[in-house]
Amino acid sequence: QVQLVESGGGLVQAGGSLSVSCEASGSIFRINAMGWYRQAPGKQREVVATHTSSGATFYADSVKGRFTISRDSAKNTVYLQMNSLQPEDTAVYYCNADLKPGGSSWSRTYWGQGTQVTVSS
């Protein structure tokens, strides 16, 4: 049973910083990529940043230069450092992992439970 457990987030004033982390646990053979998505009230879930096993990163235009994604492969953990936060960054942030579970023939996508990030103006 694979689980993604997020931590961090919370409430911060505009211009402040927050970080979130996500650990994948369980029987995991290989993690192909991990990343963060977010969903604001009334909006669709959107990608924020991703990190592949080869080290390649992707950032949404809206967060480039402000957010940094990093990963500790030994701990199966992905981090998102968020700086210069703005009210429009307010959302539930979801961890995402594309991985191959132990004993499985193929990879699949897993999601965390989500963590709230609220930026006040």
Side-chain angles (χ1 to χ4, degrees), residues 7 11 15 26 29 34 37 50 56 63-64 66 68 71 89-90 95 109-110 119:
S7 60
L11 173 65
F29 178 77
M34 296 185 78
Y37 288 66
T50 61
V63 307
K64 280 181 182 176
R66 301 188 297 123
T68 302
R71 190 170 145 193
D89 295 314
T90 295
C95 177
T109 298
Y110 291 83
V119 184

Side-chain angles (χ1 to χ4, degrees), residues 38 62-63 66-67 84-91 93 117 119:
R38 68 187 181 186
S62 59
V63 307
R66 301 188 297 123
F67 291 11
S84 301
L85 283 161
Q86 300 302 314
E88 52 265 34
D89 295 314
T90 295
Y93 284 68
V117 170
V119 184

Side-chain angles (χ1 to χ4, degrees), residues 45-64:
R45 189 173 298 188
E46 61 178 5
V47 61
V48 175
T50 61
H51 190 296
T52 71
S53 58
S54 63
T57 57
F58 167 85
Y59 293 94
D61 287 343
S62 59
V63 307
K64 280 181 182 176

Side-chain angles (χ1 to χ4, degrees), residues 95-115:
C95 177
N96 168 283
D98 179 76
L99 61 85
K100 185 177 180 181
S104 177
S105 299
W106 51 81
S107 298
R108 54 166 289 189
T109 298
Y110 291 83
W111 292 92
Q113 78 282 2
T115 185

